[in-house]
Amino acid sequence: MATLMTPSRFSSSLSVSQAQYGADRPSMADSLPSIDFGFNDLRERMAQFTVRFDDFIARGQKRVLDERNAFRMSVAELEESQRHKEHSIQALEAQSTAHAHTLAKEAAETAEMHAAISALTTQKDAHLARRDTLKAEIADVQTLIKVNREGQLAHQRSLDAQARHNIPELRFWEHCLGLRIEGTGVEDCLRFVFLEVDGREAGRECWFELMMGGREYAVGATKPKLVREEVEEIQERLNEGRELGGFLKGMRGLFVQGFEGSRS
């Protein structure tokens, strides 16, 4: 870029040239025509250019500063937006994790509930089957009770009929043959005492105990002692026919045989 020469510099150069050639020597510049270079106009134009250039620089600096501030604000807004989005993402991730835990918990509770329902259904079916079994068993027991009750009633009627038949015979045995019936101190056990068994020894007592608590009668102790097989045979006939008169007659006969056998 060419360097512009100001009027002051030109005057100095001209003075120096004049000094070199001498003061008294005629100068060529004096002989040259006067030329107007327009330095004032140039200076004014340069001043205007400088003002415009300074204004351009100031406006450029202001624009750069504004753009930098706007960029910084935009960056700050972007960072704030990024932080907000990161917080939102973290909150959504936490919600997603909590939701996943909730779903897993609900799934476990649902499975547990289905298992409980299945167990209760199985238990209910077992109870229903048990109820039906118990109903059938109760019906069978009720039928058995009814049969047993009818049997007991029939047996009681038979005993009543036999008792009506035995009472006169017992009275005959008591008054005519010296039979006495007494207790033994044991429940459902009677002692039958014969007084007129031994014709040679009047007043000699022979007795046996009859246990009547079970379904069948059983002969216990005897005095004097009798043959057990013979006693059981007479006892069996009593349980089969329930005829007390024949039983007492058979037991008295055993005592008579015992006395006769002891004398022979």
Short mmCIF file of all heavy atoms in Angstrom, two decimals, residues 67-107:
data_model
loop_
_atom_site.label_atom_id
_atom_site.label_comp_id
_atom_site.label_asym_id
_atom_site.label_seq_id
_atom_site.Cartn_x
_atom_site.Cartn_y
_atom_site.Cartn_z
N GLU A 67 -23.10 -10.88 19.61
CA GLU A 67 -23.17 -12.28 19.19
C GLU A 67 -22.55 -13.21 20.24
O GLU A 67 -23.06 -14.30 20.51
CB GLU A 67 -22.46 -12.45 17.86
CG GLU A 67 -23.21 -11.81 16.70
CD GLU A 67 -22.45 -11.96 15.39
OE1 GLU A 67 -21.30 -12.46 15.43
OE2 GLU A 67 -23.00 -11.57 14.34
N ARG A 68 -21.42 -12.73 20.87
CA ARG A 68 -20.79 -13.55 21.90
C ARG A 68 -21.70 -13.68 23.11
O ARG A 68 -21.87 -14.77 23.67
CB ARG A 68 -19.46 -12.94 22.32
CG ARG A 68 -18.69 -13.78 23.33
CD ARG A 68 -17.35 -13.14 23.64
NE ARG A 68 -17.55 -11.82 24.27
CZ ARG A 68 -16.54 -11.00 24.62
NH1 ARG A 68 -15.30 -11.37 24.38
NH2 ARG A 68 -16.80 -9.84 25.18
N ASN A 69 -22.33 -12.53 23.49
CA ASN A 69 -23.26 -12.61 24.61
C ASN A 69 -24.46 -13.51 24.28
O ASN A 69 -24.92 -14.30 25.12
CB ASN A 69 -23.74 -11.21 25.01
CG ASN A 69 -22.62 -10.37 25.60
OD1 ASN A 69 -21.67 -10.92 26.16
ND2 ASN A 69 -22.71 -9.05 25.46
N ALA A 70 -24.97 -13.34 23.05
CA ALA A 70 -26.09 -14.18 22.65
C ALA A 70 -25.68 -15.64 22.61
O ALA A 70 -26.45 -16.54 23.02
CB ALA A 70 -26.61 -13.73 21.27
N PHE A 71 -24.45 -15.90 22.13
CA PHE A 71 -23.96 -17.29 22.10
C PHE A 71 -23.82 -17.85 23.51
O PHE A 71 -24.21 -18.99 23.78
CB PHE A 71 -22.61 -17.33 21.37
CG PHE A 71 -21.98 -18.68 21.36
CD1 PHE A 71 -22.48 -19.69 20.53
CD2 PHE A 71 -20.91 -18.98 22.19
CE1 PHE A 71 -21.90 -20.95 20.53
CE2 PHE A 71 -20.34 -20.23 22.20
CZ PHE A 71 -20.83 -21.22 21.35
N ARG A 72 -23.26 -16.99 24.42
CA ARG A 72 -23.13 -17.45 25.81
C ARG A 72 -24.50 -17.72 26.43
O ARG A 72 -24.69 -18.72 27.13
CB ARG A 72 -22.38 -16.40 26.62
CG ARG A 72 -20.89 -16.32 26.30
CD ARG A 72 -20.22 -15.25 27.12
NE ARG A 72 -18.78 -15.19 26.86
CZ ARG A 72 -17.95 -14.32 27.41
NH1 ARG A 72 -18.43 -13.39 28.26
NH2 ARG A 72 -16.66 -14.35 27.12
N MET A 73 -25.46 -16.81 26.15
CA MET A 73 -26.81 -17.03 26.67
C MET A 73 -27.43 -18.29 26.08
O MET A 73 -28.08 -19.08 26.78
CB MET A 73 -27.69 -15.82 26.38
CG MET A 73 -27.30 -14.57 27.15
SD MET A 73 -28.36 -13.16 26.74
CE MET A 73 -29.93 -13.76 27.31
N SER A 74 -27.19 -18.47 24.78
CA SER A 74 -27.73 -19.68 24.14
C SER A 74 -27.09 -20.93 24.72
O SER A 74 -27.78 -21.93 24.99
CB SER A 74 -27.47 -19.60 22.62
OG SER A 74 -27.90 -20.79 21.99
N VAL A 75 -25.75 -20.87 24.94
CA VAL A 75 -25.06 -22.01 25.55
C VAL A 75 -25.58 -22.26 26.96
O VAL A 75 -25.82 -23.41 27.37
CB VAL A 75 -23.54 -21.79 25.54
CG1 VAL A 75 -22.84 -22.85 26.39
CG2 VAL A 75 -23.01 -21.83 24.12
N ALA A 76 -25.78 -21.16 27.72
CA ALA A 76 -26.30 -21.31 29.09
C ALA A 76 -27.71 -21.90 29.07
O ALA A 76 -28.05 -22.78 29.88
CB ALA A 76 -26.30 -19.95 29.80
N GLU A 77 -28.54 -21.41 28.12
CA GLU A 77 -29.88 -21.98 28.01
C GLU A 77 -29.84 -23.45 27.62
O GLU A 77 -30.61 -24.27 28.14
CB GLU A 77 -30.69 -21.17 26.98
CG GLU A 77 -31.03 -19.77 27.44
CD GLU A 77 -31.78 -18.99 26.37
OE1 GLU A 77 -31.92 -19.55 25.26
OE2 GLU A 77 -32.19 -17.85 26.64
N LEU A 78 -28.93 -23.78 26.68
CA LEU A 78 -28.79 -25.18 26.28
C LEU A 78 -28.31 -26.05 27.44
O LEU A 78 -28.80 -27.17 27.64
CB LEU A 78 -27.82 -25.29 25.10
CG LEU A 78 -28.33 -24.76 23.76
CD1 LEU A 78 -27.23 -24.83 22.71
CD2 LEU A 78 -29.54 -25.55 23.29
N GLU A 79 -27.34 -25.51 28.22
CA GLU A 79 -26.87 -26.27 29.38
C GLU A 79 -27.98 -26.45 30.41
O GLU A 79 -28.15 -27.53 30.98
CB GLU A 79 -25.67 -25.55 30.00
CG GLU A 79 -24.42 -25.61 29.14
CD GLU A 79 -23.27 -24.84 29.76
OE1 GLU A 79 -23.52 -24.12 30.76
OE2 GLU A 79 -22.13 -24.95 29.26
N GLU A 80 -28.74 -25.36 30.65
CA GLU A 80 -29.86 -25.46 31.59
C GLU A 80 -30.91 -26.45 31.09
O GLU A 80 -31.45 -27.26 31.85
CB GLU A 80 -30.49 -24.07 31.79
CG GLU A 80 -31.63 -24.04 32.78
CD GLU A 80 -31.17 -24.37 34.19
OE1 GLU A 80 -29.97 -24.19 34.48
OE2 GLU A 80 -32.02 -24.80 35.00
N SER A 81 -31.17 -26.34 29.76
CA SER A 81 -32.13 -27.30 29.19
C SER A 81 -31.61 -28.73 29.28
O SER A 81 -32.37 -29.66 29.58
CB SER A 81 -32.40 -26.93 27.73
OG SER A 81 -33.26 -27.89 27.12
N GLN A 82 -30.30 -28.90 29.08
CA GLN A 82 -29.71 -30.24 29.18
C GLN A 82 -29.81 -30.76 30.61
O GLN A 82 -30.15 -31.93 30.84
CB GLN A 82 -28.26 -30.20 28.72
CG GLN A 82 -27.59 -31.57 28.73
CD GLN A 82 -26.17 -31.51 28.20
OE1 GLN A 82 -25.69 -30.44 27.85
NE2 GLN A 82 -25.51 -32.65 28.15
N ARG A 83 -29.50 -29.87 31.60
CA ARG A 83 -29.61 -30.28 32.99
C ARG A 83 -31.06 -30.64 33.34
O ARG A 83 -31.32 -31.64 34.03
CB ARG A 83 -29.10 -29.16 33.92
CG ARG A 83 -27.60 -29.03 33.96
CD ARG A 83 -27.16 -28.14 35.12
NE ARG A 83 -27.67 -26.79 35.00
CZ ARG A 83 -27.04 -25.80 34.38
NH1 ARG A 83 -25.85 -26.02 33.82
NH2 ARG A 83 -27.57 -24.59 34.31
N HIS A 84 -31.98 -29.80 32.85
CA HIS A 84 -33.40 -30.10 33.11
C HIS A 84 -33.80 -31.44 32.49
O HIS A 84 -34.50 -32.24 33.12
CB HIS A 84 -34.24 -28.96 32.54
CG HIS A 84 -35.71 -29.15 32.75
ND1 HIS A 84 -36.31 -29.05 33.99
CD2 HIS A 84 -36.71 -29.45 31.86
CE1 HIS A 84 -37.60 -29.27 33.87
NE2 HIS A 84 -37.87 -29.52 32.58
N LYS A 85 -33.33 -31.67 31.26
CA LYS A 85 -33.65 -32.95 30.60
C LYS A 85 -33.00 -34.12 31.32
O LYS A 85 -33.60 -35.20 31.44
CB LYS A 85 -33.20 -32.90 29.14
CG LYS A 85 -34.06 -31.98 28.29
CD LYS A 85 -33.58 -31.95 26.84
CE LYS A 85 -34.47 -31.02 26.01
NZ LYS A 85 -34.02 -30.95 24.60
N GLU A 86 -31.74 -33.91 31.81
CA GLU A 86 -31.09 -34.98 32.56
C GLU A 86 -31.87 -35.29 33.84
O GLU A 86 -32.06 -36.46 34.19
CB GLU A 86 -29.65 -34.57 32.90
CG GLU A 86 -28.72 -34.58 31.69
CD GLU A 86 -27.32 -34.12 32.05
OE1 GLU A 86 -27.13 -33.68 33.22
OE2 GLU A 86 -26.41 -34.21 31.19
N HIS A 87 -32.32 -34.21 34.53
CA HIS A 87 -33.14 -34.43 35.73
C HIS A 87 -34.44 -35.17 35.37
O HIS A 87 -34.87 -36.06 36.10
CB HIS A 87 -33.44 -33.11 36.42
CG HIS A 87 -32.26 -32.49 37.10
ND1 HIS A 87 -31.41 -33.17 37.95
CD2 HIS A 87 -31.75 -31.21 37.04
CE1 HIS A 87 -30.46 -32.38 38.41
NE2 HIS A 87 -30.63 -31.17 37.86
N SER A 88 -35.03 -34.73 34.25
CA SER A 88 -36.27 -35.39 33.81
C SER A 88 -36.01 -36.85 33.49
O SER A 88 -36.81 -37.73 33.84
CB SER A 88 -36.85 -34.65 32.60
OG SER A 88 -37.16 -33.32 32.90
N ILE A 89 -34.87 -37.12 32.80
CA ILE A 89 -34.53 -38.51 32.46
C ILE A 89 -34.30 -39.32 33.72
O ILE A 89 -34.78 -40.47 33.84
CB ILE A 89 -33.29 -38.53 31.55
CG1 ILE A 89 -33.63 -37.95 30.17
CG2 ILE A 89 -32.75 -39.95 31.41
CD1 ILE A 89 -32.44 -37.76 29.27
N GLN A 90 -33.57 -38.73 34.71
CA GLN A 90 -33.35 -39.45 35.97
C GLN A 90 -34.66 -39.72 36.70
O GLN A 90 -34.88 -40.82 37.22
CB GLN A 90 -32.41 -38.63 36.87
CG GLN A 90 -30.98 -38.55 36.34
CD GLN A 90 -30.11 -37.66 37.21
OE1 GLN A 90 -30.59 -37.06 38.18
NE2 GLN A 90 -28.83 -37.56 36.86
N ALA A 91 -35.56 -38.70 36.69
CA ALA A 91 -36.86 -38.91 37.33
C ALA A 91 -37.66 -39.98 36.61
O ALA A 91 -38.28 -40.86 37.25
CB ALA A 91 -37.65 -37.59 37.36
N LEU A 92 -37.62 -39.96 35.28
CA LEU A 92 -38.33 -40.99 34.51
C LEU A 92 -37.72 -42.37 34.73
O LEU A 92 -38.46 -43.37 34.82
CB LEU A 92 -38.32 -40.64 33.02
CG LEU A 92 -39.17 -39.43 32.60
CD1 LEU A 92 -38.95 -39.10 31.13
CD2 LEU A 92 -40.64 -39.71 32.87
N GLU A 93 -36.38 -42.44 34.81
CA GLU A 93 -35.74 -43.73 35.10
C GLU A 93 -36.13 -44.24 36.47
O GLU A 93 -36.40 -45.44 36.66
CB GLU A 93 -34.22 -43.58 35.00
CG GLU A 93 -33.72 -43.40 33.58
CD GLU A 93 -32.21 -43.21 33.52
OE1 GLU A 93 -31.61 -43.02 34.61
OE2 GLU A 93 -31.63 -43.26 32.42
N ALA A 94 -36.17 -43.31 37.48
CA ALA A 94 -36.59 -43.72 38.82
C ALA A 94 -38.04 -44.20 38.80
O ALA A 94 -38.39 -45.22 39.40
CB ALA A 94 -36.43 -42.56 39.80
N GLN A 95 -38.92 -43.46 38.09
CA GLN A 95 -40.31 -43.89 37.98
C GLN A 95 -40.43 -45.23 37.26
O GLN A 95 -41.23 -46.08 37.65
CB GLN A 95 -41.13 -42.82 37.25
CG GLN A 95 -41.29 -41.52 38.02
CD GLN A 95 -42.07 -40.48 37.23
OE1 GLN A 95 -42.47 -40.73 36.09
NE2 GLN A 95 -42.26 -39.31 37.83
N SER A 96 -39.60 -45.38 36.20
CA SER A 96 -39.63 -46.65 35.48
C SER A 96 -39.17 -47.81 36.36
O SER A 96 -39.77 -48.90 36.36
CB SER A 96 -38.74 -46.56 34.23
OG SER A 96 -38.69 -47.79 33.55
N THR A 97 -38.11 -47.56 37.16
CA THR A 97 -37.64 -48.61 38.08
C THR A 97 -38.70 -48.93 39.14
O THR A 97 -38.98 -50.11 39.42
CB THR A 97 -36.35 -48.15 38.77
OG1 THR A 97 -35.37 -47.84 37.77
CG2 THR A 97 -35.80 -49.25 39.67
N ALA A 98 -39.31 -47.87 39.70
CA ALA A 98 -40.36 -48.11 40.70
C ALA A 98 -41.55 -48.83 40.08
O ALA A 98 -42.13 -49.74 40.68
CB ALA A 98 -40.81 -46.77 41.30
N HIS A 99 -41.88 -48.45 38.84
CA HIS A 99 -42.99 -49.13 38.16
C HIS A 99 -42.65 -50.59 37.89
O HIS A 99 -43.52 -51.47 38.05
CB HIS A 99 -43.28 -48.40 36.85
CG HIS A 99 -44.46 -48.93 36.10
ND1 HIS A 99 -45.74 -48.89 36.61
CD2 HIS A 99 -44.55 -49.55 34.89
CE1 HIS A 99 -46.57 -49.44 35.74
NE2 HIS A 99 -45.87 -49.85 34.69
N ALA A 100 -41.39 -50.84 37.50
CA ALA A 100 -40.98 -52.23 37.27
C ALA A 100 -41.05 -53.04 38.56
O ALA A 100 -41.53 -54.19 38.57
CB ALA A 100 -39.56 -52.26 36.70
N HIS A 101 -40.58 -52.42 39.67
CA HIS A 101 -40.69 -53.11 40.98
C HIS A 101 -42.15 -53.37 41.35
O HIS A 101 -42.49 -54.44 41.85
CB HIS A 101 -40.01 -52.27 42.06
CG HIS A 101 -38.51 -52.27 41.98
ND1 HIS A 101 -37.76 -53.42 41.80
CD2 HIS A 101 -37.60 -51.26 42.04
CE1 HIS A 101 -36.47 -53.12 41.77
NE2 HIS A 101 -36.34 -51.80 41.91
N THR A 102 -42.98 -52.35 41.09
CA THR A 102 -44.41 -52.52 41.39
C THR A 102 -45.02 -53.64 40.56
O THR A 102 -45.78 -54.48 41.08
CB THR A 102 -45.16 -51.20 41.12
OG1 THR A 102 -44.58 -50.15 41.91
CG2 THR A 102 -46.63 -51.34 41.47
N LEU A 103 -44.67 -53.68 39.27
CA LEU A 103 -45.18 -54.74 38.41
C LEU A 103 -44.69 -56.11 38.88
O LEU A 103 -45.46 -57.09 38.90
CB LEU A 103 -44.76 -54.50 36.96
CG LEU A 103 -45.42 -53.31 36.25
CD1 LEU A 103 -44.85 -53.15 34.85
CD2 LEU A 103 -46.93 -53.49 36.19
N ALA A 104 -43.40 -56.18 39.26
CA ALA A 104 -42.86 -57.46 39.75
C ALA A 104 -43.56 -57.88 41.04
O ALA A 104 -43.91 -59.06 41.22
CB ALA A 104 -41.35 -57.34 39.97
N LYS A 105 -43.76 -56.89 41.93
CA LYS A 105 -44.45 -57.20 43.20
C LYS A 105 -45.88 -57.65 42.95
O LYS A 105 -46.35 -58.63 43.54
CB LYS A 105 -44.43 -55.96 44.09
CG LYS A 105 -45.05 -56.18 45.46
CD LYS A 105 -44.97 -54.93 46.30
CE LYS A 105 -45.62 -55.14 47.68
NZ LYS A 105 -45.53 -53.90 48.51
N GLU A 106 -46.57 -56.95 42.06
CA GLU A 106 -47.94 -57.34 41.74
C GLU A 106 -47.99 -58.72 41.08
O GLU A 106 -48.90 -59.51 41.34
CB GLU A 106 -48.58 -56.29 40.82
CG GLU A 106 -48.86 -54.96 41.52
CD GLU A 106 -49.47 -53.94 40.58
OE1 GLU A 106 -49.54 -54.24 39.37
OE2 GLU A 106 -49.87 -52.86 41.06
N ALA A 107 -46.99 -58.99 40.21
CA ALA A 107 -46.94 -60.32 39.59
C ALA A 107 -46.72 -61.40 40.64
O ALA A 107 -47.36 -62.46 40.60
CB ALA A 107 -45.83 -60.35 38.54
#
